[in-house]
Amino acid sequence: MATTALPGRNYLEEDATTIGAWLKAWFLTVDHKRIAILYLLSINFFFLLGGLAASVIRVELITPQGDLLSADLYNRAFTLHGIIMVFFFLIPGIPAVLGNFLVPLMIGARDMAFPRLNLFSWYLYMAGGIFALTAAIFGGVDTGWTFYTPFSSTYANSNVILTITGAFIMGFSSITTGVNFIVTIHTMRAPGMTWFRLPLFIWASYATSLIIVLATPVIGITLLLVAIERLWGVGIFDPALGGDPLLFQHLFWFYSHPAVYIMILPGFGVISELIAAFSRKRIFGYEFIAFSSMAIALLGFLVWGHHMFVSGQSVYAGLVFSFLTMLVAIPSAIKVFNWTATLYKGSISYRTPMLYALGFIGLFVIGGLTGIFLGIVAINIHVTDTYFVVAHFHYVMVGGAIMAYLGGIHYWWPKMTGRMYNEVWGGISALIIFVGFNMTFFPQFIVGYLGMPRRYHVYPQEFQVLHVLSSAGATILAIGFIIPIIYLTISLWKGAIAGDNPWDATGLEWEVSSPPPTHNFTTTPVVTREAYDYPPDAAEVDAANWRPGSPL
Amino acid sequence: MQDFPLFPEQASTFAGPVDVLYWTLVGLSLIFGGILPFIILYLMVRYHRSQKVDRTNQLHSSLPLELTWTVIPLVLVLTVFFWGAFLYIDMRTPPDDSLEIYVIGKQWMWHVQHPNGKRENNELHIPIGQPVKLIMTSQDVIHSFYIPDFRVKQDVLPGRYTIMWFEATQPGEYHLFCAEYCGTEHSLMVGRVVALRLADYERWLATPGEIILPDGSVGGAVPALVEAIGDPMELAGGQLFASLGCAGCHRSDGLGIGPNLAGLYASEVRLTDGSLVFADENYLRESILNPGAKIAAGYANVMPSYEGQVSEDQMNQLLAYIKSLADANVE
Amino acid sequence: MAHHEHEHERGHIGPATYYKVFAALMVLMFLTVGAWWVEGMLNIPRALGVFIAVAIASTKTVLIVLFFMHIKVSSRVTQLYAVAALVALLFMFVITMGDYFARGWPPELGPLP
Amino acid sequence: MATTTSTSSSHAHADHGHADHGPELQHHFSTAAQQKEAATLGMWVFLVTEVMLFGGIFMAYAVYRWAFPDIWAEAAYHLNTPLGTINTVVLLVSSLTVALAVSAAEAGKRTRIIQLIVVTMLLGLAFLGLKAYEYSEKFAHCAGYSTPIEWVTNTNQHAVYECLVPGQAFLFPADKTTGASNAPTVAGQPTPYQLFFLLYFIATGLHAVHMLIGLAIMSYLVFITWRGTISSTYFTPVEIGGLYWHLIDIVWVFLFPLFYLVH
Ligand code: HEA
Ligand code: HEA
Ligand code: CUA
Ligand SMILES: [Cu+2]
């Protein structure tokens, strides 16, 4: 079917002649690139599933009555949506797909430090996913993705233990990935690849891994304690024994706040790559962007209590957490400003990845700034547990992290598959997503400030207009997500041969062939220059070469 | 779809200040969220590869610039932080003369009892122009008491009391929501808050009515008792105090096995290990349910636990009674 | 490049050191039990007792980590990771306990039931 | 950003002494030293996650000990401190033998490695045995026997015994300071005493699970040493296996005073 052939002997090529050998070559592979592909397919599957649940939620919310779903089913729908999107899509998302594919390539290594552990982590991920799916099939869970006690431990009679097991196993998958990244980045860099020559994506991945390693075990043990409480009938958080349900929240958010940075930091890394590549110049303030990732990772550990302002924690704790929350915004601000400054005097092209990158900045800024609203306690009291929060986190997670994910997928698609996707459709769907997204989630800020509580499937009449608007937006958004799946799939056969460096970008990954050979580098590269060292006149040359008809 | 508000009503003394802070933040966000994208758009167009503009002398880092965009946001966020912090402290400090109303949350309803003993379900009647302090607890899971038009919200926890206060400014009916997810009918755990002028509120208080108690039994509001000395919640508590046998040990002459409870509420209690605790609702509750946890100095650990013997409802009445003893002492 | 991190030949810890460390560990162990036994008769403040026990346990940990686990002669990165967990735990303990200590502040809620 | 030269993978060998790697060098590493550093660092990062895992339990412990100091003291009285002490000694000795095994590995003395690891494993088993005895003592009391042996042989059942296993049957002796068991409180009464024993069972249980994993690792080490994989140039498995064992020891070093030595 292929019109033209890809360069030979790449990691996608198969010696396998029998099905068995083929299965073995893919499912027992220790090649980080193949593992990335396994992750890509499974994670996108979970995204679609989570999106399906989101669609159900949005359809139900068109009317103020509960006509499509019963209260119970609705609760199971948003719980499934939250758990899948957080634990099985966004947390593994960028690190496990793009990170797995790129980290060894970018630092000039032949593979991850522990290739078999890498494969194992995919199996853990799948095992966790299967537990969660089983739980969903046999009736689902209705605790919300936050599993608050004592509801989850004593009162809920749904498949809490099964789901918790799934999340627990998935946590270990996360941990093994994190350990692998840290060790790989420390010990496998090619000669000459000093810390300040690393691409910013590597810095971001490193910061992410640090959070994974330090925070994930805590949620593991916390969920385990909830499971024990359910099994044993008495528990650590049980108020009947004098236990404190708030302790659960402390432990849960000790992980889950840093976890939001697990979701966004790799996205920051991707955006840094995209902005530099499509402005054709060295990124502005390299060191500041690099260190702000580390600062976010560190400060991120100190602010978890901003999810508990009205929970009954002490007023002092509320003030301290609020204060620290203000601080954690600063490194993000630094990044945003540096990206903007990079555009100045660049030669900007509106290729699909860049459209996503620019969309990312706009949407993340809105999401981040509303995070500041939420961090101010006096305002948080009114808007916490309303759609204002829902809008905030979709702005950062969908408008931020998913934009970065899609931008990254498009940018490295030629490297991963050797083929170009359709640029026209790429641009169109990026615009559809941008419009649909804002239409879905902007009204939620308003309805949230009006007082619409989250996790409500029946709501007062006067909120309906905004909900209908939001559901309409979600339809557009869904279309926007489906189009890329179609044209990216088609490009596997029909796409133009990409060549080794279609974007004329810097970075070791662009120096190997597309798709890369199995062992990445036949000779170990020796790095002598900094990251993003576009020639000083690169932007000028690029602009000078532009003719009407060249890509925008 | 008749009415379609874009902004909640302002019906309490907090609503104004919170909204001012909110609009300030919206304004600040417009500066960043509005102007920044504008700058980006401008750069996108001006430095698009099709534009023939000067691209020489590129800059790759600049400490002054970095400092500028670190310090300015920092100053701004710290300013709004302090603003919000003072407002928050205010929102968490009920005035001493607040009207105290007891709230119990349970799956999936709100149960309210007023000092005179009048009860209501999924409704809260309050006077305007008067600080109201809600003393709230839950029988089962965590709930959250939320009145959007007052801009107040507080989680309600099993096993302890949380407190929330507000002062309504406009007579009217407002939404009451449960904002913390609490199970199947979370979204049906709603009701209304009825703010009345003081005279109307008092008239309402005196109107008899029948109500289902949290344990399922029927309890009436007891208007007959209003004429008796003190409030019926205290009276009911006093009866419990006698019938549960508390009075045998806690005698008002101070000669019992246990301490005299008059004046206890809102005082500092010295414990056997020398430390001081503040005798608030949570301390009283603990002393009754788990007397061994903190032992008052000079007394033996002989008080039995009443765990499982008093309902949340009765606990509130006992507290109202013990607090009334405190009042009596002050006078 | 990462290689310089392990290019220096690792220092060496031999059996003689292990025996000494072990002896110290045993002494500390008896110290902690001894302290407990003595405290039982002395009626000292509880916090002090906890402090002594945790201090001794921490000393033991430091000895094990430094010598048995070779951190003393490990690469700088490994040393950093050995303290990383400690720092994260410290964040968690200090902030969470801070909340519990502070909850007594009137008019907020009193001590835990 | 990079120039690809043909220095190939030999770049780091030159200045590195041992260019003659055994078959244990995996293809994606350039040098044995790099592989060793990766393995050691990997183990340490993993240990960090283990510390955080136990950290969650210690956090819960700290909160409740702070909230219920008296109850903690009374409850701890019912743990078997002599057994706990013996177990501490057992574990500390096992840490020594593991450290010595690593020394032996550095020297390439295979028989000695195997001897030392086997001793370690025996100590580990002894620890688990004592732990099992402690647990069964608690369960025996719940079943109404004073010792596990009486429980198993079904002799001498008491009428009422205290039950320190959290759950419906939980029964904390009313005479809290002496442990006299004839005047128990109401069965299943939900009191913070249960929190202590819950934490005790969960923390020591999780520790025991780690012990089992440690034993599995040790048997694997014996196997590969016996097979001849370990030599004075390649002993990384022994070293990182040892690291894991020491961590288990460290966890116990904290569990012991925090649960058994409380006033
Ligand atoms: C990718 C995920 C992600 C990210 C990156 C963030 C980022 C931030 N979040 Fe968000 N958040 C979530 C995901 C995320 N959040 C989720 C999932 C929830 C809900 C969980 C649940 O309950 O289910 C939540 C909830 C949540 C709450 C609790 C709400 C509640 O339930 O009451 C708070 C409160 O402080 C908060 C704050 C912040 C802040 C301050 C940031 C900051 O990091 C943002 C920093 C960024 C900027 C500030 C923008 C860029 C900067 C500039 C343009 C410069 C100018 C800036 C200034 C002048 C300040 N978030
Ligand atoms: C990464 C995280 C992530 C992502 C991507 C999304 C994506 C979306 N979310 Fe989600 N959301 C959360 C994380 C996320 N969400 C979390 C954590 C919660 C809180 C849960 C809780 O309260 O516990 C939440 C809650 C939440 C609510 C609030 C529910 C409530 O409180 O009552 C709503 C309501 O509108 C919503 C809507 C949406 C929509 C419309 C999308 C859209 O962007 C989705 C668009 C995608 C699609 C529409 C998929 C397209 C494909 C198909 C439809 C075809 C399917 C085909 C096959 C399966 C073969 N989400
Ligand atoms: Cu009660 Cu939600
Ligand atoms: Cu957060």
Side-chain angles (χ1 to χ4, degrees), chain A residues 44-59 61 74-75 77-87 89-91 143-147 263 385-387 390-391 393-394 396-399 401-402 433 436-437 440-441 444 452-457 467 470-471 473-482 485, chain B residues 181 186:
Chain A
N44 285 356
F45 167 75
F46 277 103
F47 171 67
L48 286 180
L49 214 63
L52 197 65
S55 315
V56 172
I57 294 174
R58 280 316 329 164
V59 171
L61 290 177
Y74 181 83
N75 296 341
F78 73 70
T79 305
L80 184 72
H81 170 68
I83 288 175
I84 287 195
M85 287 299 198
V86 170
F87 292 119
F89 170 61
L90 208 48
I91 286 181
T143 57
W145 83 279
T146 46
F147 297 107
M263 308 179 211
D385 275 320
T386 68
Y387 267 71
V390 175
F393 66 72
H394 284 92
V396 275
M397 298 205 292
V398 184
I402 293 195
I433 290 177
F437 173 81
T440 312
F441 294 107
Q444 295 187 358
M452 163 87 200
R454 61 192 280 207
R455 297 164 169 178
Y456 262 35
H457 96 305
H467 271 302
S470 176
S471 296
T475 316
I476 301 177
L477 185 57
I479 296 171
F481 281 132
I482 291 171
I485 299 179
Chain B
Y181 177 69
H186 163 62

Side-chain angles (χ1 to χ4, degrees), chain D residues 110 113-114 220-230 238:
Chain D
R110 270 187 216 136
I113 302 175
I114 293 180
Y220 173 73
L221 289 181
V222 170
F223 173 69
I224 58 171
T225 314
W226 169 77
R227 209 180 49 187
T229 313
I230 302 297
V238 182

Side-chain angles (χ1 to χ4, degrees), chain B:
Chain B
M1 232 182 271
Q2 55 288 19
D3 60 343
F4 170 33
L6 289 176
F7 204 69
E9 262 184 75
Q10 300 184 332
S12 79
T13 50
F14 295 138
V18 169
D19 287 349
V20 171
L21 179 54
Y22 177 74
W23 284 117
T24 312
L25 277 166
V26 172
L28 274 180
S29 303
L30 282 179
I31 298 179
F32 288 100
I35 293 185
L36 195 75
F38 182 77
I39 298 176
I40 293 175
L41 271 177
Y42 169 77
L43 291 173
M44 272 169 69
V45 173
R46 179 165 163 84
Y47 289 103
H48 185 254
R49 55 202 306 215
S50 63
Q51 300 298 311
K52 305 281 175 260
V53 285
D54 175 32
R55 289 189 172 83
T56 51
N57 298 325
Q58 290 175 349
L59 198 63
H60 296 307
S61 69
S62 148
L63 193 59
L65 264 183
E66 300 285 353
L67 285 179
T68 316
W69 58 53
T70 307
V71 172
I72 292 180
L74 189 63
V75 170
L76 287 176
V77 287
L78 289 187
T79 314
V80 281
F81 163 74
F82 281 109
W83 181 347
F86 286 115
L87 189 49
Y88 168 57
I89 291 175
D90 205 26
M91 292 171 90
R92 281 303 164 82
T93 317
D96 290 337
D97 58 346
S98 307
L99 175 71
E100 294 191 351
I101 299 179
Y102 289 83
V103 174
I104 298 173
K106 61 168 250 167
Q107 282 176 329
W108 290 276
M109 62 173 253
W110 295 106
H111 182 80
V112 178
Q113 189 169 19
H114 294 262
N116 83 331
K118 174 129 179 168
R119 300 159 177 280
E120 46 185 338
N121 283 347
N122 290 335
E123 285 195 358
L124 172 65
H125 286 73
I126 43 146
I128 60 166
Q130 150 90 31
V132 174
K133 173 176 160 191
L134 304 183
I135 298 160
M136 309 187 291
T137 190
S138 162
Q139 273 188 2
D140 36 48
V141 303
I142 302 178
H143 305 274
S144 189
F145 200 87
Y146 179 32
I147 313 169
D149 293 336
F150 293 180
R151 313 286 187 275
V152 288
K153 183 185 290 129
Q154 174 62 53
D155 281 8
V156 176
L157 301 155
R160 55 181 273 213
Y161 290 95
T162 50
I163 280 153
M164 164 168 128
W165 84 278
F166 51 79
E167 182 181 329
T169 52
Q170 308 279 337
E173 282 189 17
Y174 306 101
H175 285 301
L176 160 62
F177 293 128
C178 172
E180 185 64 77
Y181 177 69
C182 54
T184 313
E185 286 175 23
H186 163 62
S187 60
L188 301 175
M189 192 167 162
V190 296
R192 55 184 192 138
V193 175
V194 184
L196 302 166
R197 284 177 217 291
L198 197 56
D200 294 337
Y201 173 70
E202 277 168 356
R203 192 164 330 114
W204 174 85
L205 268 186
T207 320
E210 201 175 65
I211 206 78
I212 308 294
L213 298 187
D215 61 13
S217 62
V218 178
V222 239
L225 285 176
V226 177
E227 287 134 44
I229 342 102
D231 280 330
M233 245 186 113
E234 298 165 16
L235 283 186
Q239 283 161 9
L240 279 170
F241 200 74
S243 64
L244 288 169
C246 321
C249 299
H250 297 286
R251 291 169 47 173
S252 53
D253 55 10
L255 297 176
I257 307 174
N260 180 0
L261 299 184
L264 171 63
Y265 177 67
S267 72
E268 301 240 304
V269 178
R270 172 88 51 198
L271 302 182
T272 34
D273 66 358
S275 59
L276 280 173
V277 293
F278 183 75
D280 58 5
E281 285 87 354
N282 277 316
Y283 173 73
L284 298 185
R285 181 193 177 89
E286 181 187 45
S287 295
I288 297 167
L289 297 182
N290 181 18
K294 298 198 177 56
I295 296 165
Y299 293 91
N301 181 15
V302 292
M303 173 168 161
S305 161
Y306 283 85
E307 178 78 51
Q309 297 179 51
V310 276
S311 68
E312 290 297 348
D313 203 40
Q314 291 171 325
M315 177 64 73
N316 284 343
Q317 290 164 344
L318 275 176
L319 292 197
Y321 173 69
I322 295 173
K323 286 169 161 185
S324 75
L325 296 175
D327 295 345
N329 207 38
V330 172
E331 276 153 23

Side-chain angles (χ1 to χ4, degrees), chain A residues 481-511:
Chain A
F481 281 132
I482 291 171
I483 299 175
I485 299 179
I486 298 171
Y487 68 74
L488 286 178
T489 313
I490 292 178
S491 79
L492 291 178
W493 290 277
K494 297 276 158 79
I497 298 292
D500 292 352
N501 192 356
W503 312 116
D504 210 4
T506 66
L508 288 180
E509 80 269 28
W510 299 110
E511 293 182 7

Side-chain angles (χ1 to χ4, degrees), chain D residues 11 20 48 54 56 78 98 101 122 125 137 157-158 179 209-210 216 223 234 236 247 255 259 262:
Chain D
H11 67 270
D20 54 325
V48 165
F54 280 99
H78 292 265
V98 166
L122 289 178
L125 284 172
E137 211 175 17
Q157 185 174 19
H158 285 242
V209 169
H210 279 77
F223 173 69
Y234 180 69
T236 316
L247 182 90
L255 288 182
F259 280 100
V262 181

Side-chain angles (χ1 to χ4, degrees), chain A residues 145-146 253 260-261 263-264 306-307 325 328-329 332-333 336-337 364-365 368-369 371-372 374-375 380 384 389 392-393 396-397 454, chain B residues 32 36 73 77:
Chain A
W145 83 279
T146 46
W253 291 114
V260 311
Y261 297 118
M263 308 179 211
I264 201 73
H306 67 208
H307 297 268
T325 302
V328 81
S332 303
V336 170
F337 291 125
F364 173 74
V365 165
L369 286 170
I372 303 287
L374 291 169
N380 183 283
T384 182
V389 178
H392 155 70
F393 66 72
V396 275
M397 298 205 292
R454 61 192 280 207
Chain B
F32 288 100
L36 195 75
V77 287

